[in-house]
C-alpha cells in the first residue's frame, strides 16, 4: 500500500488527488498547499484524504509533510521545484512533477541538465525514481510520441501539435496556471533542428493543419515548451535517431498573448514610462498583465457557472506527427489523442477539460508508480519511459476515455 503526498492542489493536483484516492493500492492521499481552503475543498471529497498546510518556499515544511510517503507529486509553481526535489531526496521518496523547472539555474536548459546530472544520481543512490514533465504536454503527449516510435525504424522529424479550443464567454484566457502560461507565452521557443537545439521566434514558423474533426484550418506557431528540449537529449536512444522536433501551439491563449508580446507587454524587465498625469512611473509589464488575469477555475461551482453562461467553443486537438522510415519506405505516423471536452469532463468528473487531461494524464504516471510498473531509478523525463510502460499507460488511459487514434500514411 502506497502513501502519496500531493503537493499543490490547484487545478491539476486536485484532479490527480481524486483519482489516486480511488486506487486500491493507495492507503493515504495527503493533500498539501499553502491555501487551506483549497486543501479542505479536495479532502472533503476523498475517502483516504488528509490535509496539511505547507509553505513550499521552506524545504523543512515540505520534509515534515513528506515523512514516510512513497511518492511526492509536485503540482506547485516551477519556482518551488528545487525545494521539493531536495525534500524528496531527504525523505527518500519517489518524485513526480508536471513540467521542467527553471529554478535550478538562470538558463532553462542548464536547469534541466542539473535535474538529470545532479539529482538523477541522488535518487538512484536512494533506489528511488524521479520522473519529470508528466502532465498532458509534457507528459501524455510524450508517451504518445514514444508510442509512434513503435511504427518506425528511423525517425526524421517530430511535430507535437496542440490546439486549445475551449473558449468561455467570460474573460478566461487560460485554463491552467496564469503565471506558467504567461511565462511560456513571453519567451522565444525551442526546436531541435538538424540535430541541434535552437531558439525559435515566439509565435513564428507557422504551419497550417485541418484534421478531419476540425471545422476550419488552424495556424499553429512556435511556443516555448519542454518537449523539443527533452527529445533533443534523448533523440538517439528513445526516438529512433530523430533529427528535428517542434512544438506547435494555437488557441485562445496564444491569440490573447501575441499582441501583448509584440507590444512588449510581456517583458520581465522593469520599465519607466510617462503616465497621463505627465509624471514618470515604473512597472514590470509582465507583472502588471498577470495581475489582471483571472485564476484557472478549479472548484465545481466555478466550472458550473462557466458552463451555465455558455461556451463559444468546446474543441481542441493534440496530435503527434512522426516522419521517418519503415522497411526502407517513407512513413508518417499520425497519432491523435482523443479525450473529453469541457462539458463532458465536467459531466464525468466535475472538472475542466484541462484538469481532466493534465491532472489525470499526470495521475496515470502516478498509477504506474502505485502498481509498481517502474523498474528504473534515478531521474527521467516522461519521454524516457519504456515501451512496455507506454503500452500500460494507454491501457490505463482508455479507462478514462483517453484514447489514441493511430493513422499510418505511407509514401
Amino acid at each position: 500500500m502506497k502513501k502519496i503526498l500531493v503537493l499543490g492542489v490547484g487545478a491539476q493536483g486536485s484532479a490527480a488527488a481524486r483519482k489516486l484516492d480511488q486506487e486500491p493500492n493507495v492507503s493515504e492521499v495527503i493533500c498539501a498547499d499553502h491555501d487551506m481552503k483549497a486543501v479542505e475543498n479536495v479532502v472533503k471529497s476523498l475517502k483516504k484524504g488528509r490535509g496539511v498546510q505547507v509553505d513550499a518556499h521552506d524545504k523543512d515544511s515540505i520534509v515534515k509533510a513528506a515523512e514516510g510517503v512513497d511518492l511526492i507529486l509536485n503540482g506547485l509553481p516551477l519556482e518551488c521545484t528545487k525545494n521539493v526535489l531536495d525534500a524528496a531526496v531527504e525523505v527518500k521518496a519517489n518524485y513526480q512533477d508536471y513540467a521542467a523547472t527553471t529554478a535550478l539555474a538562470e538558463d532553462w536548459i542548464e536547469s534541466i541538465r542539473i535535474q538529470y546530472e545532479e539529482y538523477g544520481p541522488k535518487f538512484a543512490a536512494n533506489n528511488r525514481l524521479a520522473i519529470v514533465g508528466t502532465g498532458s504536454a509534457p507528459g501524455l503527449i510524450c508517451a504518445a510520441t514514444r508510442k509512434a516510435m513503435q511504427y518506425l525504424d528511423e525517425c526524421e522529424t517530430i511535430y507535437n501539435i496542440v490546439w486549445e479550443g475551449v473558449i468561455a464567454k467570460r474573460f478566461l484566457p487560460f485554463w491552467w496556471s496564469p503565471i506558467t502560461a504567461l511565462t511560456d507565452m513571453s519567451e522565444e521557443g525551442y526546436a531541435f533542428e538538424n540535430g541541434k537545439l535552437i531558439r525559435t521566434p515566439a509565435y513564428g514558423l507557422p504551419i497550417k493543419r485541418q484534421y478531419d474533426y476540425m471545422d476550419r484550418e488552424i495556424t499553429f506557431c512556435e511556443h516555448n515548451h519542454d518537449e523539443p528540449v527533452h527529445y533533443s537529449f534523448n533523440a538517439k536512444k528513445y526516438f529512433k535517431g530523430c533529427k528535428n522536433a517542434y512544438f506547435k501551439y494555437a488557441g485562445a491563449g496564444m491569440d490573447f498573448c501575441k499582441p501583448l508580446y509584440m507590444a512588449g507587454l510581456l517583458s520581465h524587465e522593469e520599465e519607466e514610462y510617462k503616465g497621463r498625469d505627465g509624471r514618470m512611473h515604473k512597472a514590470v509589464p509582465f507583472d502588471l498583465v498577470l495581475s489582471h488575469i483571472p485564476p484557472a477555475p478549479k472548484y465545481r461551482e466555478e466550472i458550473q457557472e462557466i458552463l451555465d453562461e455558455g461556451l463559444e467553443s468546446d474543441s481542441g486537438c493534440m496530435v503527434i506527427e512522426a516522419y521517418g522510415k519503415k522497411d526502407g519506405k517513407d512513413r508518417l505516423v499520425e497519432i491523435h489523442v482523443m479525450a473529453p471536452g469541457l462539458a463532458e469532463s465536467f459531466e464525468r468528473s466535475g472538472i475542466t477539460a484541462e484538469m481532466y487531461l493534465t491532472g489525470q494524464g499526470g495521475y496515470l504516471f502516478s498509477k504506474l508508480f502505485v502498481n509498481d510498473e517502474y523498474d528504473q531509478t534515478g531521474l527521467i523525463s516522461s519521454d524516457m519511459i519504456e515501451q512496455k510502460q507506454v503500452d500500460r499507460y494507454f491501457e490505463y488511459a482508455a479507462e478514462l476515455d483517453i484514447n489514441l487514434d493511430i493513422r499510418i500514411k505511407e509514401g
Side-chain angles (χ1 to χ4, degrees):
M1 299 287 281
K2 302 294 195 300
K3 182 184 291 188
I4 313 294
L5 171 63
V6 179
L7 191 55
V9 289
Q12 316 327 331
S14 59
R18 292 186 177 99
K19 295 302 297 183
L20 287 165
D21 187 62
Q22 300 171 20
E23 287 295 320
N25 290 335
V26 170
S27 61
E28 186 176 30
V29 180
I30 303 169
C31 298
D33 203 300
H34 183 69
D35 180 357
M36 282 306 293
K37 178 186 175 184
V39 169
E40 291 162 1
N41 181 72
V42 177
V43 169
K44 70 182 181 182
S45 67
L46 306 182
K47 295 179 180 178
K48 306 172 190 176
R50 173 166 66 88
V52 297
Q53 188 171 39
V54 166
D55 177 4
H57 294 93
D58 177 2
K59 187 202 71 171
D60 292 338
S61 179
I62 301 171
V63 167
K64 183 178 179 181
E67 289 289 353
V69 305
D70 297 287
L71 171 66
I72 299 175
L73 175 56
N74 177 13
L76 293 168
L78 300 182
E79 66 194 56
C80 301
T81 301
K82 185 179 188 306
N83 282 344
V84 187
L85 282 166
D86 289 338
V89 170
E90 185 169 331
V91 303
K92 298 185 177 180
N94 295 294
Y95 172 89
Q96 179 186 347
D97 68 26
Y98 291 118
T101 185
T102 56
L104 303 178
E106 185 173 340
D107 178 75
W108 187 47
I109 305 303
E110 181 61 22
S111 186
I112 294 173
R113 289 188 191 279
I114 290 171
Q115 281 190 306
Y116 285 125
E117 296 174 7
E118 294 188 17
Y119 282 92
K122 293 178 182 179
F123 280 97
N126 286 343
N127 198 33
R128 296 293 185 268
L129 175 65
I131 180 167
V132 301
T134 66
S136 57
L140 189 156
I141 199 170
C142 299
T145 304
R146 291 277 286 124
K147 182 70 177 177
M149 297 302 106
Q150 296 180 7
Y151 302 91
L152 293 172
D153 295 328
E154 308 168 36
C155 183
E156 181 71 21
T157 299
I158 294 169
Y159 285 102
N160 282 177
I161 300 170
V162 175
W163 172 37
E164 299 280 358
V166 179
I167 304 175
K169 287 190 176 179
R170 70 171 60 178
F171 175 64
L172 189 62
F174 309 116
W175 295 89
W176 65 104
S177 165
I179 189 169
T180 300
L182 273 184
T183 299
D184 289 346
M185 302 281 184
S186 68
E187 299 175 353
E188 294 180 318
Y190 282 94
F192 184 51
E193 197 166 85
N194 297 320
K196 295 181 180 180
L197 193 63
I198 64 169
R199 297 311 299 263
T200 57
Y203 309 95
L205 307 182
I207 63 172
K208 296 181 183 293
R209 295 289 188 275
Q210 183 172 5
Y211 302 111
D212 52 17
Y213 49 83
M214 294 163 58
D215 63 1
R216 66 187 186 279
E217 185 177 70
I218 301 294
T219 299
F220 297 87
C221 298
E222 285 294 286
H223 181 63
N224 186 32
H225 234 249
D226 307 46
E227 292 84 352
V229 178
H230 288 302
Y231 300 167
S232 75
F233 292 152
N234 299 317
K236 184 176 181 180
K237 184 173 182 180
Y238 293 99
F239 294 99
K240 303 289 179 77
C242 174
K243 306 265 189 321
N244 309 287
Y246 302 90
F247 185 88
K248 299 293 186 178
Y249 198 40
M254 287 279 277
D255 294 341
F256 170 73
C257 287
K258 182 177 179 179
L260 297 177
Y261 177 83
M262 300 300 289
L265 293 174
L266 296 184
S267 169
H268 295 257
E269 301 298 323
E270 184 177 67
E271 298 178 4
E272 190 172 31
Y273 66 95
K274 182 181 288 188
R276 288 184 299 169
D277 58 4
R279 299 169 59 186
M280 299 305 294
H281 304 269
K282 291 183 179 181
V284 177
F286 180 95
D287 294 341
L288 183 61
V289 170
L290 179 62
S291 70
H292 288 271
I293 305 298
K298 59 185 176 182
Y299 300 121
R300 176 182 284 269
E301 298 78 12
E302 293 178 281
I303 304 167
Q304 184 66 68
E305 284 181 6
I306 292 168
L307 286 168
D308 290 345
E309 291 167 4
L311 299 176
E312 293 185 7
S313 173
D314 194 2
S315 303
C317 78
M318 177 182 285
V319 181
I320 295 86
E321 294 179 359
Y323 297 81
K325 291 185 180 295
K326 178 69 176 178
D327 298 326
K329 298 179 180 179
D330 290 340
R331 171 177 280 190
L332 163 61
V333 182
E334 191 176 282
I335 297 184
H336 299 254
V337 178
M338 314 304 289
L342 174 56
E344 186 181 350
S345 296
F346 185 76
E347 182 179 348
R348 292 171 65 103
S349 304
I351 57 180
T352 67
E354 172 65 25
M355 294 168 71
Y356 198 97
L357 203 58
T358 301
Q360 296 194 147
Y363 145 76
L364 294 170
F365 287 97
S366 304
K367 184 167 177 139
L368 293 174
F369 269 116
V370 167
N371 292 336
D372 297 319
E373 301 281 0
Y374 295 112
D375 47 26
Q376 303 99 315
T377 60
L379 186 144
I380 64 174
S381 47
S382 55
D383 58 301
M384 295 168 66
I385 61 175
E386 299 171 2
Q387 287 293 358
K388 64 181 180 179
Q389 294 160 347
V390 170
D391 292 340
R392 185 55 59 89
Y393 180 95
F394 286 109
E395 288 176 17
Y396 293 152
E399 298 171 5
L400 301 176
D401 202 24
I402 299 172
N403 295 292
L404 301 182
D405 178 4
I406 302 173
R407 308 175 184 184
I408 308 297
K409 301 179 180 180
E410 306 287 0

